[in-house]
Structures are given as C-alpha cells and as structure tokens.
Amino acid sequence: MPENQKRHLGELPPKYNFVLNPYPDKRLSRCPYCERKTGQRKLPLLIHIDPLNLIALNYTCRYCHQCDLLMAHKSEIEHLLYGMFSEYDPSAIGNDYLIIGTVEKKAWRAGLKQPKDIKDIFPHSSDFKTVYSDLRLTQAGWYQADEEPLEKETPHSREWVKAGSGSGIRNEK
C-alpha cells in the first residue's frame, strides 16, 4: 500500500464526515460547524459492539449538506441498541461500541431477509471520511473577557450500562 494512501474499512470509498452528539437534550437542527440548517438522512450505520457483534442499524441522522456531515444522537443509538440486545444478547449491553461507517441500503435490506456474514457485508460498506470527536458544549452564563467558558459535562448513558454496574439508570419495563 502506498505511503500516502489511507487504509479504510469496507470496499466502498469513504463517505460522509461523522460526529456523535452526547447531549440528549441538545438537538442538532443547525450544523455545529457551519451553523446552516440541517436536514435528515436515513441510512444503515455499521456498528461494532465488543467483543464480536457487528450490526447495521437503519437510523435517521441529521445531515449538513454543506459540510457533508452526518450527526447521530448517542442516547437514541443506545436506546435502539438496548432494545435489540436485550432480546438478542443481554451480555453485550454496556459494552464499548464504535460506529464505523455506513452500509448500502440494498445490502442492508438483503441482510434483513437473510443474515449476512461479516465478509459479505464489507464489500457493501464504507467508512467515514472524518470522524470528529464528540461535540462539546459550553455552559451558559456570563464570563469575564479573559475567562474561558466552562465545558458542559457530558451525561452518562441511561440505558447502555452493564447490569449491576450502578452507573446510569436502566429504563426497565
């Protein structure tokens, strides 16, 4: 592989820039980078959950056309993952996960009818061009001219926590 060529996951070229919003009360109706209004884009996100779970989750992201930026809400993703894994594999709930890219809609639909092996998914997947670190907000208030605003603390997960860990609040039904 040439030195200047970046390795990427999947056989399709990288698509979209991506950021995960950790604030459940902050909706992204405007792009956090260019301040333009965002639209929506529904597409299957490829998510790896430790240790060996790979899923394609059809999710409606906020999308900025100008920045080619997909924005996902962490609390919504975790709620959907919790719902899936509470039936499928409860031991995976609370494990680390990574949103690694997108999957073609056609391949995702085919996977709904007949589950696919990992080697069959990668030819139809693409990773992100750039993954920005989680959004960080500053706390509202008045600050002196030479004073930096305080960063708003990111909330802990409410559902995607290990059973018996004591952190977070599970939404049991």
Side-chain angles (χ1 to χ4, degrees), residues 10 34 50 62 71 82 85 87 122 143 165:
C34 73
D50 284 341
R62 299 303 303 182
M71 298 160 263
Y82 177 78
F85 281 92
E87 294 178 22
F122 284 129
Y143 296 94
S165 69

Side-chain angles (χ1 to χ4, degrees), residues 9-154:
L9 185 70
E11 292 183 19
L12 298 177
K15 275 179 130 178
Y16 308 111
N17 298 306
F18 180 78
V19 68
L20 188 64
N21 174 15
Y23 301 99
D25 58 338
K26 173 72 173 161
R27 304 285 82 179
L28 297 171
S29 59
R30 292 195 172 271
C31 176
Y33 301 107
C34 73
E35 294 294 321
R36 287 196 167 104
K37 287 186 177 181
T38 60
Q40 294 181 339
R41 186 150 294 180
K42 188 165 188 163
L43 41 85
L45 296 176
L46 189 61
I47 304 174
H48 174 265
I49 296 117
D50 284 341
L52 295 172
N53 296 298
L54 188 68
I55 63 163
L57 177 68
N58 200 29
Y59 178 75
T60 303
C61 296
R62 299 303 303 182
Y63 178 69
C64 175
H65 180 73
Q66 180 69 25
C67 300
D68 195 29
L69 178 68
L70 284 177
M71 298 160 263
H73 297 282
K74 182 179 177 185
S75 60
E76 292 175 358
I77 297 277
E78 290 180 349
H79 177 73
L80 294 169
L81 290 176
Y82 177 78
M84 290 171 63
F85 281 92
S86 60
E87 294 178 22
Y88 171 68
D89 182 8
S91 67
I93 294 174
N95 290 354
D96 289 337
Y97 64 91
L98 180 65
I99 302 169
I100 53 179
T102 61
V103 178
E104 289 179 321
K105 275 261 194 199
K106 192 172 165 183
W108 172 76
R109 280 190 195 105
L112 290 176
K113 295 174 186 160
Q114 178 66 39
K116 305 278 185 207
D117 195 38
I118 291 174
K119 68 181 181 336
D120 298 328
I121 292 293
F122 284 129
H124 304 283
S125 64
S126 63
D127 57 351
F128 297 117
K129 289 188 247 179
T130 305
V131 176
Y132 297 105
S133 59
D134 289 344
L135 290 176
R136 297 288 180 250
L137 299 178
T138 56
Q139 290 185 6
W142 292 94
Y143 296 94
Q144 298 292 330
D146 60 341
E147 189 180 9
E148 286 291 319
L150 297 173
E151 190 175 286
K152 187 175 178 182
E153 189 175 313
T154 56

